[in-house]
């Protein structure tokens, strides 16, 4: 089975459609979605509708729960709060309730999905260091996990010590791993292109891909919606 892996779409319809077009061309069999469908961007309804149609294995992100009122807005900075308030008005109540119904952790066969960490998924902490990964490996009951939240591609490998790789293609072999394939809608690794992954479960290979999209239109949509301009500006620089 080949999975398309989507993380942190953040209401960026232009980036999401570019990624899904690439994944359809790659012939994936299913999708994994690592949360934060909404927040920051200007097209939450279109993104939610498209993801629901895909019926992926899916977890909640902190912005999804923030919009649904399941996470205190004290967790967020001012720009993120403004986007959450705006998103609540832009989505039908049924979609808001659906976002709130999502779990922060999902296990599907030999796959574990979390937005932040596996060891404390409902806290939405970042998994960015070997020690963070060590804590999550202690709770990981499958051979591979996928996380998002940091918006930065990296794969950690279980062991003493925990190691990591930022390679774009990783053959896992027998190793247990936790992978972050980066952000579709708001990359933060100084590469503005949308990031996504493909996971071949039979070959046990993780690939991170980048694709151009209409970043100008995505930024203009943010400005036209009355969202904080910085949310559009940062798309151009991948930060």
């Amino acid at each position: 089975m080949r999975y398309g892996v989507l993380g942190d779409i953040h209401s960026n319809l232009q980036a999401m459609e570019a990624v899904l077009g690439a994944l359809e061309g790659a012939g994936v069999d299913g999708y994994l979605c690592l949360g934060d469908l909404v927040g920051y961007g200007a097209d939450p309804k279109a993104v939610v509708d498209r993801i629901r149609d895909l019926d992926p294995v899916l977890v909640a992100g902190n912005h999804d729960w923030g919009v649904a009122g399941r996470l205190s807005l004290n967790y967020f900075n001012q720009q993120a709060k403004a986007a959450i308030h705006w998103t609540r008005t832009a989505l039908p109540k049924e979609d808001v309730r659906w976002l709130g119904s999502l779990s922060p952790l999902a296990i599907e066969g030999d796959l574990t999905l979390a937005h932040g960490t596996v060891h404390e998924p409902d806290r939405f902490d970042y998994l960015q260091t070997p020690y963070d990964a060590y804590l999550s490996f202690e709770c990981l009951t499958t051979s591979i996990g996928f996380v998002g939240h940091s918006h930065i591609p990296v794969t950690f490998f279980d062991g003493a010590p925990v190691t990591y790789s930022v390679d774009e293609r990783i053959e896992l072999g027998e190793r247990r791993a936790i992978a972050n394939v980066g952000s579709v809608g708001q990359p933060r690794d100084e590469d503005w292109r949308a990031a996504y992954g493909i996971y071949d479960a039979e070959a046990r290979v993780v690939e991170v891909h980048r694709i151009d999209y209409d970043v100008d239109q995505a930024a203009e949509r943010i400005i036209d919606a009355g969202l904080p301009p910085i949310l559009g500006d940062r798309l151009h620089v991948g930060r």
Side-chain angles (χ1 to χ4, degrees), residues 131-170:
Y131 182 67
D132 300 331
Y134 162 77
L135 295 175
S136 280
F137 279 124
E138 289 288 291
C139 298
L140 186 69
T141 59
T142 61
S143 70
I144 186 166
F146 288 94
V147 297
H149 197 35
S150 73
H151 299 211
I152 297 175
V154 62
T155 298
F156 291 94
F157 307 106
D158 193 13
V162 171
T163 56
Y164 68 92
S165 173
V166 293
D167 291 345
E168 295 177 348
R169 175 183 168 86
I170 297 172

Side-chain angles (χ1 to χ4, degrees), residues 6 15-26 31 50-51 54 196:
L6 312 172
M16 182 189 70
E17 292 293 2
V19 165
L20 291 179
L23 287 171
E24 288 165 6
Y31 294 88
R50 189 78 163 91
I51 292 300
L54 290 176
Y196 64 98

Side-chain angles (χ1 to χ4, degrees), residues 44-220:
K45 175 60 175 168
V47 168
V48 167
D49 287 348
R50 189 78 163 91
I51 292 300
R52 294 186 74 170
D53 286 345
L54 290 176
D55 192 26
V57 183
L58 173 65
V59 292
N62 54 301
H63 286 257
D64 304 324
W65 269 21
V67 166
R70 290 196 61 181
L71 188 64
S72 170
L73 294 193
N74 292 333
Y75 181 97
F76 300 92
N77 63 37
Q78 289 303 117
Q79 291 80 24
K81 285 180 186 177
I84 286 171
H85 284 301
W86 180 89
T87 300
R88 285 175 177 170
T89 68
L91 281 177
K93 290 182 180 179
E94 191 275 333
D95 285 337
V96 173
R97 287 193 294 269
W98 178 76
L99 289 171
S101 74
L102 300 177
S103 170
L105 183 73
I107 298 174
E108 180 84 6
D110 198 36
L111 304 171
T112 297
L113 274 63
H115 182 65
T117 67
V118 176
H119 58 283
E120 291 183 312
D122 57 351
R123 289 179 60 89
F124 300 109
D125 289 330
Y126 292 95
L127 200 163
Q128 293 181 294
T129 70
Y131 182 67
D132 300 331
Y134 162 77
L135 295 175
S136 280
F137 279 124
E138 289 288 291
C139 298
L140 186 69
T141 59
T142 61
S143 70
I144 186 166
F146 288 94
V147 297
H149 197 35
S150 73
H151 299 211
I152 297 175
V154 62
T155 298
F156 291 94
F157 307 106
D158 193 13
V162 171
T163 56
Y164 68 92
S165 173
V166 293
D167 291 345
E168 295 177 348
R169 175 183 168 86
I170 297 172
E171 297 181 6
L172 299 178
E174 299 300 317
R175 295 177 294 180
R176 292 209 310 160
I178 298 175
N180 187 326
V181 299
S183 171
V184 170
Q186 195 195 77
R188 295 180 184 168
D189 58 349
E190 299 185 351
D191 184 339
W192 64 269
R193 297 173 300 162
Y196 64 98
I198 295 176
Y199 175 57
D200 188 321
E202 183 176 353
R204 287 185 52 80
V205 173
V206 176
E207 296 176 347
V208 176
H209 295 266
R210 308 303 284 246
I211 189 168
D212 294 357
Y213 73 96
D214 193 340
V215 66
D216 291 331
Q217 184 180 10
E220 288 168 7

